[in-house]
Amino acid sequence: MNATRFPARVDIFEEGVREGFQSLPMVVPTEVKLDIIRRLSATGLKQIAAASFVRPDRVPGWADAEEVASRLEPVDGVSYSALWFNRRGLERAARHAGRLELLGSLTLSASRAFIQRNQNIGYEQALRQLDDVVAWCRELSIPVPRAAVSAAFGCNYEGPGSLSRLLEVVADLRGCARKHGLEIEYLTLADTMGWADPVQVGAYVDAVRAAWPGVRICLHLHDTRGLGLANAYAGLAAGVDLFDASLGGLGGCPFGGSVRASGNVSTEDLVYLCHRLGIATGVDLARLVAVSRHAEEVLGIPLPGRLKNVADACIGLPPAPSIAEVSAS
Amino acid sequence: MNATRFPARVDIFEEGVREGFQSLPMVVPTEVKLDIIRRLSATGLKQIAAASFVRPDRVPGWADAEEVASRLEPVDGVSYSALWFNRRGLERAARHAGRLELLGSLTLSASRAFIQRNQNIGYEQALRQLDDVVAWCRELSIPVPRAAVSAAFGCNYEGPGSLSRLLEVVADLRGCARKHGLEIEYLTLADTMGWADPVQVGAYVDAVRAAWPGVRICLHLHDTRGLGLANAYAGLAAGVDLFDASLGGLGGCPFGGSVRASGNVSTEDLVYLCHRLGIATGVDLARLVAVSRHAEEVLGIPLPGRLKNVADACIGLPPAPSIAEVSAS
């Protein structure tokens, strides 16, 4: 095990609105989505996933993606992203390119069984489809700065992850990027179904960094089996400075038939961990907790995050490490 | 930061019945308590806190401590403990010494404010009262193998913990033990209000070990702010091999006015972490998860543990590391 090498600063992609509202049992009104995005924009979070351009018949929770995107009032300094899975979705999203910052991603699953079940194709075909993604993005002048491996640490259909398998997928993504002359800035390792453990996180991060030097690693962690923040801690200790997270832990695990299972790590719990360790995030944690409580109240369902449940009188927020000091140091 | 030194095996004190049922908003029927203790006894857990001899007018949830203790059917190889705070409680518990394994504890809080608010006395007086605890235990032939520091990592009234303060309290406990000729086997560091962070856990464990060589450290961790399992991981990485935990995370935080706040780390989530890391616990995790789901169902309230919420079809329990192999190695 290596010595810890905590980053001085962490950036967070806020995924709660996009990921959360597609997995809830009810459709969240457009006004509520816009209100939560507006509140999130005032917390210091700089990157907010604001809409999901997926098939309305399959994901009714995002049938209003166009309306959210067109009514969104962007705040200076905050970037609003969107998700899509195919050309149709990308075209829909691209009509809102003024408000949304669209970024293409080379995304592959490390689990062959997951690809087969979800897309009904083999891994090789999924890899070849990335050529299409690059072509669509080029046509629409959308940059592709991101690569991502889903089910990077394990899969409900295949069990625990395998580092050699992950490294194969990373090599394929790197090869694809090279073939297309893409400059990949960051590589997301997604624990899509919450299989990671902290020792594995440290080991996989080290190995992926060695396999793709210079790429910035982003961790997308789920708290499905309770290890979300332990894994985030292991990532921080390995120097990871970029995380996906979700307001209040919004976004249950849609796999495995249990909507009660926890999804993404809670943004405010992750920010709390960072601040306790002296790592700057630029986030006003008290404000973020207030947004999380508000979301819980308007949605009328308990969200899995912990910090928001502590009464303000004794919540004990640590002082926020200064971004300015970090930049200067 | 030190290299990790995971233990080969961890022992767990199951606190769910005792701690959980005193903080629930309703009184749990005696039958339900006995049934859950019986089920827990078949999971491989070897130490179960089975009753709390506290004032029935203050803690109505344990007004039936006598009945639980007298109707308990001990299983061979499992030890059932009880809690008390004063001589009256100890005398009540001692009547059930055949079924309960009563162990005295030198317990002090690291927070002066906490002692003042909860006991309305100063720290020095709380320290002197330990002489009485030792005297009562001697009279009733109860051993005193345990010392404990509550609020060891921070306190809702005083804020973040201080290592120098903790070491003062540890020195006072060690002095008290020496004065009375007690052989303290283990020292519990309790994060009573959930203030610990993982770096702090590692540092405090190392420092306390240096201050009291040979004592076995037990961690009692609360998940109040989401860091419970990250802190457990840090404890494991520092070689801690003894933990308190609570079925399903039973036992909200009674401090700070929020019954929703999470309490003890969930036993099954902790066992899952251990098994994922190859650390033996002797616990049948599938059985323990079933008990946790059963408890949730009969109590009719959602418990904070995560693992139990994952559908069996994809829960992905790791193989249990063998205790026999550990013992042989």
Side-chain angles (χ1 to χ4, degrees):
Chain A
M1 197 84 174
N2 292 308
T4 53
R5 40 188 193 283
F6 294 110
R9 169 172 179 169
V10 153
D11 292 319
I12 296 174
F13 289 132
E14 169 55 46
E15 297 279 327
V17 171
R18 179 190 66 68
E19 182 144 9
F21 296 167
Q22 78 191 19
S23 58
L24 289 178
M26 70 288 203
V27 172
V28 177
T30 309
E31 296 296 343
V32 170
K33 290 174 183 162
L34 287 165
D35 177 54
I36 291 176
I37 293 169
R38 188 177 54 75
R39 289 169 191 255
L40 283 169
S41 303
T43 61
L45 285 164
K46 295 299 178 205
Q47 290 160 310
I48 299 172
S52 201
F53 291 89
V54 285
R55 282 177 54 171
D57 56 330
R58 295 257 180 96
V59 187
W62 271 112
D64 61 349
E66 270 81 4
E67 196 180 349
V68 169
S70 60
R71 292 178 54 196
L72 179 70
E73 294 178 10
V75 167
D76 271 358
V78 180
S79 161
Y80 303 87
S81 65
L83 182 77
W84 68 86
F85 288 119
N86 54 30
R87 188 186 170 108
R88 168 96 187 96
L90 176 57
E91 284 172 352
R92 288 169 61 203
R95 283 181 213 122
H96 305 276
R99 287 193 178 75
L100 301 178
E101 188 189 9
L102 298 177
L103 300 174
S105 175
L106 304 179
T107 301
L108 264 179
S109 175
S111 163
R112 292 174 188 275
F114 190 78
I115 295 171
Q116 195 65 52
R117 292 223 190 187
N118 279 268
Q119 299 177 257
N120 199 28
I121 57 174
Y123 173 79
E124 306 305 330
Q125 192 177 344
L127 176 58
R128 281 194 302 273
Q129 285 186 352
L130 296 182
D131 297 336
D132 298 333
V133 170
V134 175
W136 305 335
C137 287
R138 289 238 155 104
E139 266 181 65
L140 294 163
S141 302
I142 309 275
V144 184
R146 180 183 176 213
V149 184
S150 60
F153 298 91
C155 165
N156 289 350
Y157 310 123
E158 291 189 349
S162 135
L163 179 55
S164 61
R165 176 70 195 137
L166 173 60
L167 292 178
E168 283 169 18
V169 179
V170 167
D172 285 341
L173 288 172
R174 201 177 176 199
C176 178
R178 196 183 292 122
K179 180 172 77 176
H180 291 290
L182 297 170
E183 289 228 18
I184 297 296
E185 289 169 28
Y186 61 96
L187 169 63
T188 298
L189 303 180
D191 188 22
T192 316
M193 287 161 279
W195 279 76
D197 73 58
V199 169
Q200 184 190 21
V201 167
Y204 281 26
V205 164
D206 285 349
V208 168
R209 247 197 218 120
W212 195 336
V215 79
R216 188 178 179 194
I217 290 179
C218 174
L219 285 174
H220 176 107
L221 300 170
H222 279 221
D223 194 30
T224 321
R225 291 165 183 80
L227 303 187
L229 281 169
N231 292 333
Y233 172 67
L236 292 167
V240 174
D241 65 352
L242 187 58
F243 289 83
D244 291 346
S246 166
L247 180 73
L250 255 170
C253 175
F255 311 105
S258 175
V259 291
R260 284 194 52 206
S262 301
N264 296 57
V265 292
S266 145
T267 311
E268 62 270 24
D269 293 2
L270 176 63
V271 169
Y272 174 76
L273 171 62
C274 289
H275 290 192
R276 278 302 300 263
L277 301 181
I279 299 168
T281 63
V283 174
D284 181 328
L285 186 49
R287 266 193 199 188
L288 184 61
V289 166
V291 180
S292 182
R293 289 176 181 155
H294 173 78
E296 193 166 54
E297 197 181 314
V298 296
L299 297 173
I301 51 166
L303 299 179
R306 304 293 200 210
L307 184 67
K308 66 181 166 49
N309 299 340
V310 183
D312 271 334
C314 59
I315 195 167
L317 301 184
S322 162
I323 291 277
E325 279 170 32
V326 169
S327 308
S329 70
Chain B
M1 196 83 173
N2 291 310
T4 53
R5 41 188 192 282
F6 294 109
R9 171 174 177 167
V10 153
D11 291 319
I12 295 174
F13 289 132
E14 170 55 47
E15 297 279 327
V17 172
R18 180 192 66 69
E19 181 143 12
F21 296 168
Q22 76 190 20
S23 58
L24 288 177
M26 70 287 205
V27 173
V28 177
T30 309
E31 297 296 344
V32 170
K33 290 174 183 162
L34 288 165
D35 177 55
I36 291 177
I37 293 169
R38 189 178 53 74
R39 291 170 189 255
L40 282 170
S41 302
T43 60
L45 285 164
K46 294 299 178 205
Q47 291 160 308
I48 299 172
S52 200
F53 291 89
V54 284
R55 284 179 53 171
D57 55 331
R58 295 257 180 96
V59 186
W62 271 111
D64 62 349
E66 269 82 3
E67 196 179 348
V68 169
S70 60
R71 293 178 54 196
L72 180 70
E73 294 178 10
V75 167
D76 271 358
V78 180
S79 161
Y80 302 87
S81 65
L83 182 77
W84 67 85
F85 287 119
N86 54 31
R87 187 186 172 108
R88 168 96 188 95
L90 176 57
E91 285 172 351
R92 288 169 60 203
R95 285 182 210 120
H96 306 276
R99 289 193 177 75
L100 301 178
E101 188 190 9
L102 299 177
L103 300 174
S105 175
L106 304 179
T107 301
L108 263 180
S109 174
S111 163
R112 293 173 187 275
F114 190 77
I115 296 171
Q116 194 65 52
R117 291 223 190 188
N118 279 269
Q119 300 176 257
N120 200 27
I121 58 175
Y123 172 79
E124 306 304 330
Q125 193 178 342
L127 175 59
R128 282 194 301 273
Q129 286 186 351
L130 297 181
D131 297 337
D132 298 333
V133 171
V134 174
W136 304 335
C137 288
R138 290 237 154 105
E139 264 180 67
L140 294 162
S141 302
I142 309 276
V144 184
R146 179 183 177 213
V149 184
S150 60
F153 299 91
C155 165
N156 289 351
Y157 310 123
E158 290 188 349
S162 136
L163 179 56
S164 61
R165 175 69 195 137
L166 173 61
L167 292 177
E168 284 171 15
V169 179
V170 167
D172 285 340
L173 288 172
R174 200 177 177 201
C176 177
R178 195 182 292 124
K179 181 172 73 175
H180 292 289
L182 298 170
E183 289 227 20
I184 298 296
E185 291 170 26
Y186 59 96
L187 169 64
T188 298
L189 304 181
D191 188 23
T192 315
M193 287 161 278
W195 278 77
D197 72 60
V199 169
Q200 184 191 20
V201 167
Y204 282 26
V205 164
D206 284 349
V208 168
R209 248 196 217 120
W212 195 337
V215 80
R216 188 177 179 196
I217 291 179
C218 174
L219 285 175
H220 175 107
L221 300 170
H222 279 221
D223 194 29
T224 321
R225 291 165 183 79
L227 303 187
L229 280 169
N231 293 333
Y233 172 68
L236 292 167
V240 173
D241 65 352
L242 188 56
F243 289 84
D244 291 347
S246 167
L247 180 72
L250 257 168
C253 176
F255 311 103
S258 174
V259 291
R260 286 193 51 204
S262 302
N264 296 56
V265 292
S266 145
T267 310
E268 63 270 24
D269 292 1
L270 176 63
V271 168
Y272 174 77
L273 171 62
C274 290
H275 290 193
R276 279 302 302 261
L277 301 181
I279 300 168
T281 64
V283 174
D284 180 329
L285 186 49
R287 266 193 200 189
L288 184 61
V289 166
V291 180
S292 182
R293 289 176 181 156
H294 173 79
E296 194 167 54
E297 197 182 314
V298 296
L299 297 173
I301 50 167
L303 299 179
R306 305 291 201 212
L307 186 67
K308 64 181 166 52
N309 299 340
V310 183
D312 271 334
C314 59
I315 195 167
L317 300 184
S322 161
I323 291 277
E325 280 171 31
V326 169
S327 308
S329 68

